[in-house]
Amino acid sequence: MPKPPTPDEVHAIPHLAAIPRVEAERLARVIEVRAYGPRALVLAEGDPCHGFFVLRSGRARIFRTGFDGREQILRLLGPGDSFGEVPVFDGGPNPATVEAIDPSEALFIPAATFIDVMERYPAVARALLRHLARRLRAFTDLVEQISLQTVQNRVARYLYLSAREEGVPTAEGIVVPRTITQQDLAALVGSVREVVSRTLRVLEDDGLVEVRRREFLVRDLDALRKMI
Protein backbone atom coordinates (compact mmCIF):
# COMPACT_ATOMS: atom_id res chain seq x y z
CA MET A 1 0.00 0.00 0.00
CA PRO A 2 1.60 3.33 -1.07
CA LYS A 3 2.25 5.82 1.69
CA PRO A 4 0.18 9.02 1.51
CA PRO A 5 2.10 12.16 0.54
CA THR A 6 3.53 14.45 3.19
CA PRO A 7 3.19 18.25 3.17
CA ASP A 8 6.91 18.40 2.32
CA GLU A 9 6.25 16.26 -0.75
CA VAL A 10 3.47 18.61 -1.80
CA HIS A 11 5.79 21.60 -1.43
CA ALA A 12 8.40 19.77 -3.55
CA ILE A 13 6.02 19.90 -6.54
CA PRO A 14 7.38 22.93 -8.45
CA HIS A 15 3.92 24.32 -9.21
CA LEU A 16 3.03 24.28 -5.51
CA ALA A 17 6.27 25.43 -3.88
CA ALA A 18 4.84 28.85 -2.97
CA ILE A 19 1.67 27.76 -1.14
CA PRO A 20 1.42 28.15 2.66
CA ARG A 21 2.17 25.17 4.89
CA VAL A 22 -1.48 24.84 5.91
CA GLU A 23 -2.48 24.54 2.25
CA ALA A 24 0.18 21.87 1.66
CA GLU A 25 -1.20 19.94 4.64
CA ARG A 26 -4.70 20.13 3.17
CA LEU A 27 -3.55 18.99 -0.27
CA ALA A 28 -1.64 16.08 1.27
CA ARG A 29 -5.00 14.74 2.41
CA VAL A 30 -6.56 15.19 -1.05
CA ILE A 31 -3.80 13.98 -3.35
CA GLU A 32 -4.07 10.33 -4.34
CA VAL A 33 -1.07 8.01 -4.67
CA ARG A 34 -1.29 5.48 -7.52
CA ALA A 35 1.05 2.54 -8.07
CA TYR A 36 1.94 1.00 -11.45
CA GLY A 37 3.83 -2.08 -12.53
CA PRO A 38 6.35 -2.19 -15.40
CA ARG A 39 4.73 -1.22 -18.72
CA ALA A 40 1.44 -0.43 -16.98
CA LEU A 41 -0.76 2.22 -18.58
CA VAL A 42 -1.01 5.47 -16.62
CA LEU A 43 -2.90 7.59 -19.15
CA ALA A 44 -4.33 6.77 -22.57
CA GLU A 45 -4.27 9.19 -25.48
CA GLY A 46 -7.80 10.43 -26.18
CA ASP A 47 -9.26 9.58 -22.76
CA PRO A 48 -10.90 12.29 -20.64
CA CYS A 49 -8.60 14.16 -18.27
CA HIS A 50 -9.47 14.31 -14.58
CA GLY A 51 -6.27 15.81 -13.22
CA PHE A 52 -2.50 15.78 -13.58
CA PHE A 53 0.28 13.64 -12.14
CA VAL A 54 3.71 13.96 -10.54
CA LEU A 55 5.94 10.91 -10.75
CA ARG A 56 6.94 9.98 -7.23
CA SER A 57 9.26 7.08 -8.05
CA GLY A 58 10.26 4.95 -11.00
CA ARG A 59 10.34 5.96 -14.66
CA ALA A 60 7.71 6.46 -17.35
CA ARG A 61 7.43 7.55 -20.96
CA ILE A 62 5.05 9.87 -22.80
CA PHE A 63 4.37 8.89 -26.41
CA ARG A 64 2.04 9.24 -29.38
CA THR A 65 1.16 6.38 -31.71
CA GLY A 66 0.75 6.87 -35.47
CA PHE A 67 -1.77 5.20 -37.75
CA ASP A 68 0.92 2.67 -38.73
CA GLY A 69 1.47 1.73 -35.09
CA ARG A 70 4.83 3.46 -34.86
CA GLU A 71 5.50 5.28 -31.61
CA GLN A 72 7.15 8.63 -31.00
CA ILE A 73 8.34 9.21 -27.46
CA LEU A 74 7.84 12.85 -26.51
CA ARG A 75 9.53 12.71 -23.12
CA LEU A 76 11.04 10.32 -20.62
CA LEU A 77 9.92 10.92 -17.04
CA GLY A 78 11.76 10.49 -13.74
CA PRO A 79 10.92 11.19 -10.10
CA GLY A 80 9.61 14.72 -9.63
CA ASP A 81 8.47 15.17 -13.24
CA SER A 82 4.86 16.20 -13.80
CA PHE A 83 2.60 15.38 -16.72
CA GLY A 84 -1.00 15.81 -17.87
CA GLU A 85 -1.33 19.52 -17.03
CA VAL A 86 -2.46 20.83 -20.44
CA PRO A 87 -5.88 19.14 -20.67
CA VAL A 88 -6.62 20.26 -17.12
CA PHE A 89 -6.93 23.78 -18.56
CA ASP A 90 -8.19 23.36 -22.12
CA GLY A 91 -10.83 20.77 -21.19
CA GLY A 92 -9.73 18.40 -23.94
CA PRO A 93 -8.72 14.73 -23.75
CA ASN A 94 -5.26 13.46 -22.87
CA PRO A 95 -3.01 14.39 -25.83
CA ALA A 96 -0.64 11.44 -25.37
CA THR A 97 -0.24 8.06 -23.69
CA VAL A 98 1.84 7.64 -20.55
CA GLU A 99 3.26 4.22 -19.65
CA ALA A 100 5.37 3.19 -16.67
CA ILE A 101 8.77 1.74 -17.57
CA ASP A 102 9.64 0.48 -14.09
CA PRO A 103 7.52 -0.16 -10.99
CA SER A 104 6.37 3.38 -10.26
CA GLU A 105 4.26 5.56 -8.01
CA ALA A 106 2.59 8.80 -9.02
CA LEU A 107 0.78 11.54 -7.14
CA PHE A 108 -2.57 12.40 -8.72
CA ILE A 109 -3.87 15.96 -8.24
CA PRO A 110 -7.55 16.37 -9.25
CA ALA A 111 -8.18 19.13 -11.80
CA ALA A 112 -10.75 20.99 -9.70
CA THR A 113 -8.45 20.95 -6.67
CA PHE A 114 -5.50 22.38 -8.57
CA ILE A 115 -7.55 25.07 -10.34
CA ASP A 116 -8.98 26.15 -6.98
CA VAL A 117 -5.47 26.47 -5.49
CA MET A 118 -4.20 28.32 -8.55
CA GLU A 119 -7.02 30.87 -8.40
CA ARG A 120 -6.31 31.58 -4.73
CA TYR A 121 -2.52 31.74 -5.07
CA PRO A 122 -1.29 33.69 -8.14
CA ALA A 123 2.27 32.45 -7.54
CA VAL A 124 1.06 28.95 -8.45
CA ALA A 125 -0.22 30.22 -11.81
CA ARG A 126 3.10 31.99 -12.49
CA ALA A 127 5.05 28.83 -11.64
CA LEU A 128 2.86 26.79 -13.97
CA LEU A 129 3.34 29.28 -16.81
CA ARG A 130 7.13 29.06 -16.43
CA HIS A 131 6.86 25.26 -16.42
CA LEU A 132 4.71 25.17 -19.57
CA ALA A 133 7.04 27.64 -21.31
CA ARG A 134 10.02 25.35 -20.65
CA ARG A 135 7.99 22.41 -21.94
CA LEU A 136 7.12 24.32 -25.11
CA ARG A 137 10.80 25.06 -25.72
CA ALA A 138 11.60 21.38 -25.27
CA PHE A 139 8.94 20.35 -27.79
CA THR A 140 10.24 22.97 -30.24
CA ASP A 141 13.68 21.38 -29.92
CA LEU A 142 12.15 17.93 -30.49
CA VAL A 143 10.41 19.07 -33.68
CA GLU A 144 13.68 20.55 -34.92
CA GLN A 145 15.60 17.36 -34.21
CA ILE A 146 13.08 15.11 -35.96
CA SER A 147 12.65 17.45 -38.93
CA LEU A 148 16.22 18.59 -39.55
CA GLN A 149 18.59 16.00 -38.07
CA THR A 150 19.48 12.51 -39.24
CA VAL A 151 18.86 9.44 -37.09
CA GLN A 152 22.61 9.28 -36.48
CA ASN A 153 22.58 12.87 -35.19
CA ARG A 154 19.65 12.11 -32.88
CA VAL A 155 21.19 8.91 -31.50
CA ALA A 156 24.48 10.74 -30.94
CA ARG A 157 22.57 13.47 -29.08
CA TYR A 158 20.90 10.90 -26.81
CA LEU A 159 24.22 9.23 -26.02
CA TYR A 160 25.98 12.55 -25.45
CA LEU A 161 23.33 13.90 -23.06
CA SER A 162 23.06 10.56 -21.24
CA ALA A 163 26.83 10.48 -20.77
CA ARG A 164 26.80 14.06 -19.46
CA GLU A 165 23.90 13.48 -17.06
CA GLU A 166 24.22 9.83 -15.98
CA GLY A 167 27.63 8.66 -17.13
CA VAL A 168 30.37 7.33 -14.85
CA PRO A 169 33.94 8.11 -15.98
CA THR A 170 36.28 5.10 -16.14
CA ALA A 171 39.72 4.40 -17.57
CA GLU A 172 38.06 3.12 -20.78
CA GLY A 173 35.61 5.97 -21.21
CA ILE A 174 32.22 7.04 -19.82
CA VAL A 175 29.88 4.21 -18.82
CA VAL A 176 26.19 4.95 -19.42
CA PRO A 177 23.57 2.50 -18.10
CA ARG A 178 21.14 1.22 -20.73
CA THR A 179 18.00 2.37 -18.94
CA ILE A 180 15.64 2.03 -21.91
CA THR A 181 15.19 -0.67 -24.54
CA GLN A 182 16.42 -0.27 -28.10
CA GLN A 183 12.75 -0.10 -29.15
CA ASP A 184 12.22 2.81 -26.75
CA LEU A 185 15.36 4.50 -28.06
CA ALA A 186 13.98 4.19 -31.60
CA ALA A 187 10.69 5.74 -30.49
CA LEU A 188 12.59 8.52 -28.74
CA VAL A 189 14.61 9.50 -31.82
CA GLY A 190 11.72 9.11 -34.27
CA SER A 191 12.91 5.99 -36.05
CA VAL A 192 12.55 2.20 -35.96
CA ARG A 193 14.58 -0.35 -34.03
CA GLU A 194 16.37 -1.78 -37.09
CA VAL A 195 17.66 1.65 -38.16
CA VAL A 196 18.78 2.51 -34.63
CA SER A 197 20.58 -0.83 -34.39
CA ARG A 198 22.47 -0.11 -37.62
CA THR A 199 23.27 3.42 -36.42
CA LEU A 200 24.74 2.10 -33.17
CA ARG A 201 26.89 -0.33 -35.14
CA VAL A 202 28.23 2.55 -37.26
CA LEU A 203 29.07 4.58 -34.15
CA GLU A 204 30.72 1.49 -32.69
CA ASP A 205 32.73 0.83 -35.88
CA ASP A 206 33.88 4.46 -35.81
CA GLY A 207 35.20 3.96 -32.28
CA LEU A 208 32.84 6.47 -30.63
CA VAL A 209 30.93 4.01 -28.44
CA GLU A 210 30.87 0.38 -27.42
CA VAL A 211 27.44 -1.22 -27.14
CA ARG A 212 27.27 -3.63 -24.22
CA ARG A 213 24.46 -5.75 -22.83
CA ARG A 214 23.55 -3.43 -19.94
CA GLU A 215 25.44 -0.26 -20.79
CA PHE A 216 27.05 1.94 -23.41
CA LEU A 217 30.72 2.81 -23.16
CA VAL A 218 31.23 6.26 -24.64
CA ARG A 219 34.82 6.37 -25.87
CA ASP A 220 34.78 9.80 -27.56
CA LEU A 221 32.36 12.27 -25.94
CA ASP A 222 33.72 15.20 -27.91
CA ALA A 223 33.05 13.44 -31.23
CA LEU A 224 29.44 12.82 -30.18
CA ARG A 225 29.05 16.49 -29.22
CA LYS A 226 30.25 17.59 -32.68
CA MET A 227 27.56 15.41 -34.27
CA ILE A 228 24.71 17.27 -32.62
Side-chain angles (χ1 to χ4, degrees), residues 5-189:
T6 65
D8 287 341
E9 260 190 296
V10 175
H11 264 149
I13 298 171
H15 315 341
L16 301 174
I19 62 175
R21 177 76 180 187
V22 65
E23 190 67 46
E25 291 171 350
R26 184 184 72 83
L27 286 177
R29 295 190 292 270
V30 174
I31 291 173
E32 180 183 343
V33 182
R34 299 182 180 180
Y36 304 92
R39 299 297 170 178
L41 189 67
V42 181
L43 292 176
E45 179 183 339
D47 280 359
C49 171
H50 302 293
F52 77 95
F53 294 77
V54 177
L55 198 63
R56 187 189 212 182
S57 63
R59 294 179 303 144
R61 63 188 190 121
I62 303 178
F63 64 95
R64 294 285 298 263
T65 304
F67 292 113
D68 59 357
R70 203 172 93 179
E71 297 176 355
Q72 172 63 56
I73 292 180
L74 305 177
R75 195 156 55 101
L76 294 174
L77 301 165
D81 288 335
S82 62
F83 55 95
E85 296 98 332
V86 170
V88 167
F89 299 99
D90 69 9
N94 294 318
T97 297
V98 180
E99 179 188 74
I101 296 175
D102 305 322
S104 304
E105 288 186 2
L107 306 180
F108 173 73
I109 298 91
T113 298
F114 184 71
I115 291 173
D116 172 66
V117 171
M118 187 179 67
E119 289 176 345
R120 290 188 289 112
Y121 300 101
V124 172
R126 290 193 295 270
L128 179 65
L129 285 172
R130 287 193 297 270
H131 171 78
L132 293 178
R134 288 193 296 269
R135 189 74 54 78
L136 180 59
R137 287 183 183 276
F139 281 135
T140 301
D141 289 343
L142 177 63
V143 171
E144 179 185 4
Q145 292 165 33
I146 293 174
S147 303
L148 303 178
Q149 294 185 336
T150 66
V151 173
Q152 188 177 59
N153 293 146
R154 300 197 293 270
V155 171
R157 180 185 181 87
Y158 169 79
L159 292 170
Y160 173 77
L161 294 177
S162 296
R164 288 285 304 272
E165 295 168 7
E166 307 172 45
V168 178
T170 70
E172 297 179 285
I174 301 174
V175 174
V176 181
R178 294 184 66 171
T179 56
I180 59 174
T181 66
Q182 201 164 107
Q183 182 64 49
D184 284 340
L185 177 56
L188 185 64
V189 301

